[in-house]
Amino acid sequence: MQIHDVDLKLLRVFVAIVECGGLSAAESRLNIGRSTISSHLSDLEVRLGIKLCKRGRSGFELTEPGRVTYQASLELLRQCDAFANTVASSKNELSGRVSLSVIDTMVSDPRCGIAQAIASLRKLSKNIQFDINVCEAKEVETSVINGRSLVGIGVSRHHIRGLEYIPLHNENNYLYCGKGHDLFTLNDKAISEYLLDAEVITSNYMRDREVRNDGLNYQNSASAYHDEGIAHLILSGEFIGYLPEHYASFWVDKGEMKVIQPEKYAYNIPVSLITSKSNKVNPLTNAIVDALLVSHKD
């Protein structure tokens, strides 16, 4: 088939569907309704003459041709972006799409310099488009590996081959309870007696459990994949859990959360700027990396 602009648009929609795990989940990323997404997917299947996925009550599942098409789409879209960036650089101007994947709640960290980096790039060129994807930690790395994102800002203790990790700062995490929890009104001595029976939220950062080694009660009766979900569970007054200090401070200042023995129950996660080693020749990648490093300097 001949590839036209409309096909590239449909392929971008398809990639978003796959990476979000379904049509409904892709609505927020694409900023269009489910019916329109479904129509785009059907149009792409007609254009290609293959069935890309199964969708129904059993959930979303790629077919084998769908998996092949997804990988080919990633490569094609990456090459299209590389072409646009190369042509722009030949004219000594920055142009193209800056795609950035970042873990959630970073916006509440005063050390986060994403906004400043965007502003500085806009001053360099108005021909730059921005695409920011807020996602969980593993997806940040996956997004950079498969080329959907030029750079990522995330956390990882186990680095992946082919990616470069530039340290930005450490994110301090503490244990919190909500206002309705039994531990909220107790002093430190009393807390120590009741703490081991309190149910702790299982979080997306459970790979850091060995780092915590806190001996607390993880019964798996509450879990969340993002800090916002953990906050909801803590605010219910039924569970305790770890949150970044900068994020929890909003509720602590309002008297709705309380930190629990911070000298004992605390750990930090290194926040890094993540890039692909194969992307270093891309002038737009170099520009956003430089801007982010400048904006994150103390």
Side-chain angles (χ1 to χ4, degrees):
M1 60 176 286
Q2 296 295 316
I3 301 297
H4 302 286
D5 286 347
V6 66
D7 298 312
L8 294 176
K9 176 183 177 181
L10 296 178
L11 290 173
R12 291 188 189 278
V13 170
F14 174 58
V15 167
I17 293 170
V18 175
E19 294 183 346
C20 291
L23 279 68
S24 297
E27 287 183 288
S28 59
R29 177 184 293 185
L30 295 170
N31 198 29
I32 55 178
R34 190 183 187 283
S35 61
T36 303
I37 295 174
S38 178
S39 177
H40 287 334
L41 180 58
S42 297
D43 289 345
L44 181 60
E45 289 179 326
V46 171
R47 285 282 294 148
L48 297 175
I50 56 176
K51 188 71 173 177
L52 294 171
C53 61
K54 301 174 184 177
R55 35 187 170 144
R57 293 185 178 180
S58 59
F60 175 85
E61 182 182 358
L62 281 178
T63 63
E64 184 57 33
R67 281 188 281 272
V68 173
T69 303
Y70 170 65
Q71 294 299 329
S73 299
L74 291 176
E75 180 61 22
L76 174 60
L77 295 174
R78 187 184 68 79
Q79 292 291 347
C80 287
D81 289 340
F83 172 80
N85 294 336
T86 300
V87 172
S89 65
S90 70
K91 297 185 292 184
N92 294 319
E93 67 177 38
L94 286 175
S95 177
R97 183 176 300 276
V98 170
S99 49
L100 172 66
S101 288
V102 58
I103 53 174
D104 66 330
T105 74
M106 286 299 296
V107 70
S108 64
D109 192 332
R111 298 170 297 179
C112 179
I114 294 176
Q116 295 94 314
I118 292 173
S120 66
L121 283 183
R122 289 286 287 175
K123 290 177 181 178
L124 290 176
S125 173
K126 297 296 184 182
N127 295 320
I128 300 175
Q129 297 85 44
F130 294 90
D131 178 14
I132 297 182
N133 176 34
V134 178
C135 52
E136 63 102 1
K138 290 181 181 178
E139 189 182 346
V140 171
E141 294 172 301
T142 301
S143 183
V144 176
I145 288 174
N146 64 31
R148 196 178 68 80
S149 294
L150 289 181
V151 296
I153 293 182
V155 295
S156 177
R157 295 194 187 278
H158 308 291
H159 293 179
I160 297 175
R161 182 178 298 176
L163 294 181
E164 183 176 358
Y165 299 78
I166 306 173
L168 296 177
H169 55 77
N170 285 333
E171 183 181 78
N172 297 318
N173 287 253
Y174 295 101
L175 187 63
Y176 295 90
C177 66
K179 188 175 182 179
H181 199 280
D182 292 341
L183 296 175
F184 193 83
T185 57
L186 300 180
N187 59 36
D188 277 354
K189 182 177 180 181
I191 284 176
S192 298
E193 297 178 10
Y194 291 96
L195 186 58
L196 296 182
D197 292 325
E199 293 184 67
V200 186
I201 301 161
T202 302
S203 78
N204 183 47
Y205 300 136
M206 284 308 291
R207 64 179 177 280
D208 291 303
R209 187 170 174 180
E210 68 270 17
V211 178
R212 302 176 194 170
N213 194 27
D214 52 20
L216 296 178
N217 177 24
Y218 293 89
Q219 291 187 353
N220 294 323
S221 55
S223 61
Y225 290 94
H226 297 281
D227 288 335
E228 185 173 346
I230 297 173
H232 282 301
L233 290 166
I234 293 174
L235 290 168
S236 75
E238 296 296 322
F239 308 96
I240 62 176
Y242 287 92
L243 282 175
E245 180 184 21
H246 63 82
Y247 185 58
S249 63
F250 173 80
W251 293 283
V252 172
D253 293 342
K254 292 175 63 176
E256 295 179 8
M257 276 189 195
K258 174 183 176 181
V259 64
I260 301 173
Q261 297 183 348
E263 72 287 346
K264 182 176 182 181
Y265 297 102
Y267 69 101
N268 64 67
I269 301 178
V271 177
S272 299
L273 174 58
I274 304 171
T275 63
S276 172
K277 293 180 180 178
S278 62
N279 227 357
K280 286 186 174 181
V281 296
N282 187 327
L284 200 54
T285 301
N286 294 332
I288 183 60
V289 167
D290 290 344
L292 286 168
L293 290 178
V294 170
S295 66
H296 281 83
K297 286 183 178 179
D298 293 333

